[in-house]
Amino acid sequence: MSQPKQPFDGLTLDIKHLSIAFQTRQGSVTVVDDISLNIGKGEIVGVIGESGSGKTIASLAVLGMLPRGARVLEGTVHLSGDSLLDQPESYQRAIRGDRVALIPQDALRALNPTLQVGLQVGEPLTLHRGISWTTARKKAVELLRSVELRDPEQRADEYPHQFSGGMQQRAMIAMGLSTEPELLIADEPTTALDVTVQAQVLDLLRNIRDTHGTSILFITHDLGVVATLCDRVYVMYSGAIVEEGPVEQIFSNPSHPYTRGLLDATPRVHGTLTGLKPIPGQIPLPDARPVGCRFSDRCAFAGAECRQTPPAVTVQEGHVAYCVKALELELEA
Amino acid sequence: MSTPLLEVRSASKQFSIGSHWFGGTHFTAVDTVSLSLMPGETLGIVGESGSGKSTLLRMILRLVRPTNGNIMFEGKDIWQSSGSELLAVRRRMQAVFQDPASSFNPRQSIGTVLAAPLEVHNIGDTKSRMAKVAETLELVGLPPSYMTRHPHQLSGGQRQRVAIARAIILRPSLLLADEPTSALDVSVQAQILALLQTINRELGLACVFVSHNLGVVRTIADRVAVMRRGEIVETGKTQTVFESPQHPYTQALLAAIPDPSRIRSGKSLSSSDQP
């Protein structure tokens, strides 16, 4: 099979100008609007957004798993130089679970309740490496050990309901790692977990990156998790990326009013207690976005110039905010 | 000092597991918990899943009968009350739950939902009830025109505002909130917390606020109780508990929370602590 290649520039994932729309009775509704995002080898990249920001849909496009009714309007997605869009289903099936693995939010729902965990963890190997179920089962024990599950031999013979939430998520991660993928997509993998268990899972993901050089796309609404784990971050709002840059930059010098609003609205546990500042209003529906900057109707700094499509303003090397006033805001801070 | 509004006296709850005949065992969800709440005070109860925080709240709400101990509200044991006395207790004690979508009848308009408590307690006539509904909607930051809408036409944040309106329409003295912002986005959560703070202050409401989110509890509570495996391991003024936690569990819990102001310095408990 000949695959369209782009010159490989060391990027594990390269999304360019991706737009995705849902077909509804009222017409086409754009839920992901011209986003570009990339992940280098061994990089952990966070995508932050509230519900309805389009973060999950964008990641499903990478996996070729868009729900019915959703369509890629334009853009390209490359995995280590290989195009992933406009490929036959057989090609995408060969990629999924082999070169790209997904760690979902709800591990219990993703696991088969009637199948022993060991078999499920080894299953990608039987599908993608053609090894026998017996060998895969043995490999699964090693994988479960590598994600620091205690008593992996016994645990491999148990069923998902016998696992705690944290153990289920460890099993999902073990399954994702089985084929040593280039890219792990983690969609809110710790949202359902208690904070102490969450901290363990985040440690595990960091170790995986350090030992295997796996690239990780980490989707979350939790700014604290991003600050702890990620190297770079993209902030999404209402289908578009509004700010991107290294984690230190985004948190120490947020240059888009939405990013700043999110930080001010997050209750803190450490440091001095500053009152929360809520962002007024709510996220616009995809078919009712304001003209120009889509955050303008909730933004305290908005003016007439915000009715134009916001420009990409480089705040610092690698730190870009899509806001006309990004540099003025920086001066005020 | 005045008398406490709410007093939980050595309350325990055991659930039985398995059959009585074949040697079933007991699981202690809440283990000899005592706490008290003064009028107008907000108490935060934090803990991870399985810590017993929701069971404790349900005992106070008279939804789960304590195995041992008493729940005293305005000086009376709520489990000894019945009939009109109980109705009076219910009027003074209202609740807001986590999932606003599942706490409404989808076929009822917001106006009907909000008028229901007034009807149950025989307050006013149809006209004065509607006026009260409109007034309460404005209090929670919604236009009175929302009376004609149905729950599915509202966003999650708006539904939670309606849930709060329903809880305060009877002007209770105690509000019990079980993870009221966990299903909401951060920006909406901040709006709802601000609303709760305003309402508690303006109406002089006392509040028991149960949450797994320590940041949220720190924002809203005057005092905080940390629960673990059915017991309160630490309690005190919010500021004191957060700034100098005494119990190792509170310390571990606080250290495990990723914070936007502490970039890539997250520490975790040892992985040997797997349940």
Side-chain angles (χ1 to χ4, degrees):
Chain A
M1 208 174 352
S2 80
Q3 297 310 329
K5 279 247 180 195
Q6 71 174 29
F8 184 50
D9 46 11
L11 292 176
T12 304
L13 181 68
D14 192 6
I15 298 178
K16 284 204 177 106
H17 304 294
L18 182 68
S19 293
I20 301 169
F22 271 96
Q23 216 56 49
T24 70
R25 257 179 248 165
Q26 283 79 39
S28 170
V29 173
T30 310
V31 290
V32 171
D33 196 1
D34 191 20
I35 67 164
S36 296
L37 178 157
N38 60 63
I39 305 178
K41 184 166 165 47
E43 213 182 7
I44 304 183
V45 169
V47 176
I48 305 183
E50 298 185 278
S51 13
S53 61
K55 56 194 193 300
T56 296
I57 291 292
S59 70
L60 290 179
V62 175
L63 290 157
M65 281 172 32
L66 283 178
R68 194 180 288 262
R71 201 161 51 87
V72 173
L73 297 178
E74 56 185 322
T76 57
V77 177
H78 286 87
L79 179 70
S80 305
D82 301 325
S83 173
L84 293 185
L85 297 181
D86 301 318
Q87 297 288 358
E89 175 64 16
S90 60
Y91 180 78
Q92 289 182 332
R93 285 181 78 116
I95 299 261
R96 268 201 301 264
D98 185 356
R99 294 176 60 191
V100 185
L102 174 72
I103 303 169
Q105 176 174 348
D106 188 348
L108 184 59
R109 240 173 59 185
L111 290 162
N112 182 341
T114 65
L115 206 58
Q116 290 164 3
V117 172
L119 292 178
Q120 300 190 55
V121 170
E123 191 176 14
L125 289 169
T126 68
L127 290 172
H128 295 289
R129 299 285 181 272
I131 68 171
S132 74
W133 280 97
T134 333
T135 327
R137 161 79 176 62
K138 281 187 194 128
K139 278 283 285 181
V141 174
E142 289 316 305
L143 287 161
L144 289 171
R145 182 171 291 126
S146 76
V147 295
E148 294 156 35
L149 194 79
R150 270 191 289 170
D151 309 323
E153 280 92 355
Q154 291 86 36
R155 289 295 186 182
D157 286 334
E158 292 186 355
Y159 292 88
H161 75 269
Q162 292 167 289
F163 279 41
S164 69
M167 289 158 64
Q168 287 162 5
Q169 202 52 279
R170 280 174 201 271
M172 283 306 296
I173 295 171
M175 195 190 303
L177 290 178
S178 60
T179 55
E180 297 187 5
E182 295 147 57
L183 176 68
L184 269 183
I185 298 180
D187 189 357
E188 307 251 10
T190 60
T191 306
L193 304 177
D194 278 327
V195 280
T196 49
V197 182
Q198 162 171 289
Q200 294 166 10
V201 170
L202 296 181
D203 261 1
L204 176 63
L205 287 172
R206 204 178 293 123
N207 286 342
I208 287 165
R209 188 270 303 271
D210 293 346
T211 47
H212 301 278
T214 313
S215 308
I216 300 178
L217 176 63
F218 196 94
I219 299 164
T220 184
H221 66 272
D222 188 330
L223 288 114
V225 170
V226 168
T228 319
L229 182 72
C230 299
D231 303 312
R232 277 194 306 128
V233 54
Y234 292 83
V235 183
M236 283 189 79
Y237 180 76
S238 187
I241 289 169
V242 295
E243 186 164 2
E244 60 187 81
V247 160
E248 293 83 356
Q249 275 288 314
I250 297 286
F251 285 92
S252 62
N253 181 21
S255 299
H256 193 286
Y258 176 63
T259 315
R260 185 180 289 188
L262 268 187
L263 280 164
D264 287 344
T266 304
R268 304 293 176 87
V269 171
H270 308 281
T272 49
L273 185 66
T274 52
L276 295 187
K277 283 183 235 147
I279 307 175
Q282 50 189 312
I283 297 183
L285 292 173
D287 53 358
R289 292 183 185 126
V291 182
C293 171
R294 50 196 74 198
F295 187 60
S296 55
D297 60 340
R298 299 174 74 186
C299 180
F301 308 97
E305 62 272 46
C306 300
R307 301 185 65 81
Q308 315 283 323
T309 306
V313 177
T314 305
V315 182
Q316 269 194 28
E317 175 75 36
H319 179 189
V320 177
Y322 295 81
C323 174
V324 182
K325 304 199 163 180
L327 293 175
E328 292 173 44
L329 293 181
E330 196 195 3
L331 290 176
E332 280 173 29
Chain B
M1 208 163 159
S2 54
T3 51
L5 178 72
L6 173 77
E7 230 187 324
V8 176
R9 293 184 186 159
S10 316
S12 299
K13 178 66 196 178
Q14 293 183 331
F15 292 105
S16 43
I17 302 170
S19 157
H20 284 298
W21 293 358
F22 300 102
T25 53
H26 291 290
F27 169 73
T28 306
V30 175
D31 194 0
T32 342
V33 163
S34 298
L35 54 86
S36 68
L37 187 71
M38 301 309 280
E41 193 183 29
T42 297
L43 172 72
I45 300 180
V46 290
E48 298 190 285
S49 34
S51 61
K53 57 190 192 303
S54 288
T55 306
L56 175 60
L57 193 86
R58 293 171 75 83
M59 291 197 293
I60 300 172
L61 266 173
R62 210 179 185 276
L63 295 173
V64 170
R65 183 183 280 277
T67 317
N68 287 305
N70 309 89
I71 314 284
M72 311 295 291
F73 177 69
E74 295 184 331
K76 290 188 191 108
D77 187 330
I78 60 163
W79 284 95
Q80 303 294 328
S81 316
S82 59
S84 60
E85 206 174 80
L86 181 59
L87 201 65
V89 168
R90 290 245 155 91
R91 182 175 167 182
R92 311 273 298 145
M93 182 197 279
Q94 292 285 322
V96 175
F97 294 100
Q98 174 174 356
D99 181 7
S102 71
S103 63
F104 296 117
N105 183 340
R107 300 174 61 148
Q108 288 182 345
S109 71
I110 300 306
T112 314
V113 165
L114 291 182
L118 299 172
E119 281 161 29
V120 168
H121 291 276
N122 256 323
I123 298 169
D125 52 24
T126 316
K127 206 175 146 208
S128 70
R129 279 177 201 150
M130 280 307 132
K132 187 89 179 155
V133 167
E135 180 199 322
T136 311
L137 275 173
E138 281 192 72
L139 202 58
V140 297
L142 293 174
S145 61
Y146 271 50
M147 258 194 267
T148 54
R149 302 214 182 178
H150 284 77
H152 72 269
Q153 292 169 299
L154 306 182
S155 70
Q158 290 170 336
R159 275 197 289 256
Q160 203 56 290
R161 283 177 195 269
V162 175
I164 293 169
R166 177 170 58 182
I168 61 170
I169 199 162
L170 291 168
R171 295 289 185 271
S173 55
L174 175 62
L175 183 68
L176 299 157
D178 192 0
E179 304 265 12
T181 62
S182 311
L184 305 175
D185 274 319
V186 190
S187 66
V188 183
Q189 165 173 284
Q191 294 173 3
I192 296 296
L193 290 175
L195 173 68
L196 279 172
Q197 280 175 319
T198 316
I199 283 178
N200 288 351
R201 196 175 51 235
E202 281 181 10
L203 304 184
L205 264 176
C207 181
V208 178
F209 192 102
V210 170
S211 179
H212 70 279
N213 187 327
L214 281 89
V216 167
V217 167
R218 185 186 185 201
T219 308
I220 199 155
D222 303 314
R223 274 195 307 131
V224 57
V226 183
M227 285 190 77
R228 185 194 197 189
R229 294 181 192 153
E231 293 176 18
I232 292 181
V233 296
E234 181 162 1
T235 178
K237 279 212 161 104
T238 307
Q239 196 184 355
T240 320
V241 171
F242 277 81
E243 279 169 17
S244 54
Q246 297 302 310
H247 195 279
Y249 178 68
T250 316
Q251 291 165 357
L253 207 56
L254 284 169
I257 294 172
D259 191 279
S261 51
R262 297 190 311 176
I263 295 167
R264 279 191 273 182
S265 62
K267 289 185 185 70
S268 73
L269 302 178
S270 69
S271 54
S272 61
D273 200 35
Q274 271 178 47

